[in-house]
Amino acid sequence: MAEISLLDNSYTKANSTHYHLSLQIDSEGLAYSILDNRRKRYIVFQKYLFGKPCDIISLVNKLEKCFEEDEILRSSFNSSSCIYLTQKSTLVPNAFFDELKLRDYFEFNHPLEELDEIHYNIVPEIDACNVYAIPTYLANLLHNRFKGVKIYHQATPFIKSALKDFQPSSSVHINLNPGFFDIIIKQDNKLKLYNTFLYQNDTDMLYYVLFIINQLKLNPENIPVTICGEMSDRVSYHESLSEYLPKMMYLEPVSPGFSVVFERLSKHKFFNLFYLSNCE
């Protein structure tokens, strides 16, 4: 049973060929949303929690069972895309990018696990490609279940939104995932830094964030800061950040629109999922 289930009364399986499906997968569960392309608004959201982090074989088995039992996911969609949450990624400038060297780029920063395969997303906003790894079993499951599905690393929509849609020319953006967080520094409308860090508590997180801000000689009192991600509502994290970064706000998805059934959902927690349709 879904932990969160939001279903607009306009949803009908008969219209699924007019819908875009967005999925987000990590080691602990699955979230998905459905965009009505004709009305340009989200009409379905479901969140499944599988429990403690599991190995890839267990995760694929749980996902396969979920795909079978969830009647909505058995539909045929107009298009579909999926975010796989992982720290394993590397940004490569287009000037140096060669598709035949994906493994070399990736292994410069990360070991390639035996059951992983390498993918990449083009990020035109920074004239670069985001090279990342995804378990082969998971990629095969997604391609078999959702024909033509496009797979993304979470940094891709996160970077695109910061560079394309967020107005201040200099800003800090923090995406708080379970166990790790992504951070973006934008200066003069250009990507100054993207990185990811493991953390166990608010002290860990705050140390990395303030260290980066200090190293780049930014003023924490004045710099606009946004936070999003599933852990962004945790009170201790929010209070720790806001104490030192007074211009902090939630990063809320704006476009496409949302059905009224989403009013009580903290949409910033799933910002990248909702922004994914803008990456198509």
Side-chain angles (χ1 to χ4, degrees):
M1 180 179 295
E3 179 189 23
I4 304 174
S5 181
L6 305 175
L7 184 66
D8 185 83
N9 57 18
S10 68
Y11 168 80
T12 171
K13 190 172 183 178
N15 288 333
S16 60
T17 54
H18 299 290
Y19 298 154
H20 174 81
L21 171 69
S22 297
L23 306 107
Q24 179 172 295
I25 295 169
D26 63 23
S27 62
E28 298 181 8
L30 162 73
Y32 74 83
S33 59
I34 291 177
L35 174 69
D36 185 334
N37 285 319
R38 295 176 302 178
R39 303 168 71 185
K40 301 299 180 186
R41 70 175 186 174
Y42 285 103
I43 57 173
V44 176
F45 176 82
Q46 302 268 51
K47 167 68 177 176
Y48 291 92
L49 191 61
F50 297 152
K52 63 181 181 179
C54 50
D55 62 73
I56 188 57
I57 302 301
S58 298
L59 176 62
V60 168
N61 289 337
K62 289 177 180 179
L63 286 168
E64 193 164 22
K65 181 180 179 182
C66 186
F67 294 163
E68 287 288 344
E69 295 179 351
D70 188 313
E71 184 178 350
I72 294 174
L73 290 178
R74 295 203 300 268
S75 304
S76 296
F77 298 96
N78 176 264
S79 56
S80 57
S81 51
C82 178
I83 293 173
Y84 177 59
L85 287 179
T86 173
Q87 285 191 286
K88 298 179 180 180
S89 74
T90 298
L91 293 176
V92 181
N94 286 342
F96 302 103
F97 184 78
D98 182 342
E99 194 171 354
L100 298 177
K101 297 180 179 179
L102 290 178
R103 182 164 187 156
D104 293 337
Y105 301 140
F106 181 81
E107 291 190 324
F108 184 78
N109 289 319
H110 309 280
L112 183 66
E113 302 297 334
E114 183 179 357
L115 299 179
D116 283 355
E117 63 185 49
I118 300 176
H119 291 230
Y120 71 92
N121 303 143
I122 299 171
V123 192
E125 288 79 6
I126 56 172
D127 196 25
C129 289
N130 184 16
V131 180
Y132 61 97
I134 180 173
T136 299
Y137 289 143
L138 176 56
N140 289 342
L141 173 64
L142 290 169
H143 285 298
N144 289 335
R145 285 286 174 172
F146 308 105
K147 299 303 180 185
V149 64
K150 296 180 180 179
I151 301 175
Y152 293 88
H153 182 267
Q154 79 275 357
T156 300
F158 192 40
I159 291 171
K160 288 175 74 73
S161 69
L163 272 291
K164 186 177 180 180
D165 295 335
F166 196 71
Q167 293 305 311
S169 61
S170 297
S171 52
V172 178
H173 305 269
I174 303 165
N175 181 32
L176 292 172
N177 307 297
F180 73 95
F181 72 91
D182 304 308
I183 184 167
I184 290 170
I185 306 293
K186 182 175 75 168
Q187 285 187 304
D188 300 323
N189 287 317
K190 295 181 180 179
L191 181 69
K192 182 72 172 179
L193 176 143
Y194 165 77
N195 210 339
T196 179
F197 298 92
L198 291 169
Y199 71 105
Q200 294 183 338
N201 51 48
D202 57 314
T203 302
D204 290 346
M205 175 198 59
L206 189 61
Y207 169 79
Y208 289 122
V209 171
L210 294 181
F211 178 79
I212 289 171
I213 289 174
N214 180 66
Q215 289 294 105
L216 295 179
K217 295 180 170 49
L218 300 174
N219 186 341
E221 295 289 327
N222 296 328
I223 191 75
V225 179
T226 71
I227 61 169
C228 63
E230 289 202 54
M231 306 304 290
S232 59
D233 270 356
R234 180 164 289 189
V235 174
S236 60
Y237 296 166
H238 190 279
E239 289 181 347
S240 294
L241 287 169
S242 60
E243 181 179 353
Y244 294 93
L245 303 167
K247 289 197 171 182
M248 188 182 74
M249 69 188 82
Y250 287 123
L251 184 58
E252 298 285 358
V254 175
S255 178
F258 293 87
S259 161
V260 293
V261 300
F262 285 73
E263 285 182 353
R264 287 183 289 179
L265 179 70
S266 298
K267 294 186 283 294
H268 53 268
K269 293 177 65 174
F270 305 96
F271 176 85
N272 288 325
L273 175 68
F274 292 131
Y275 195 83
L276 199 52
S277 62
N278 295 305
C279 298
E280 293 294 296

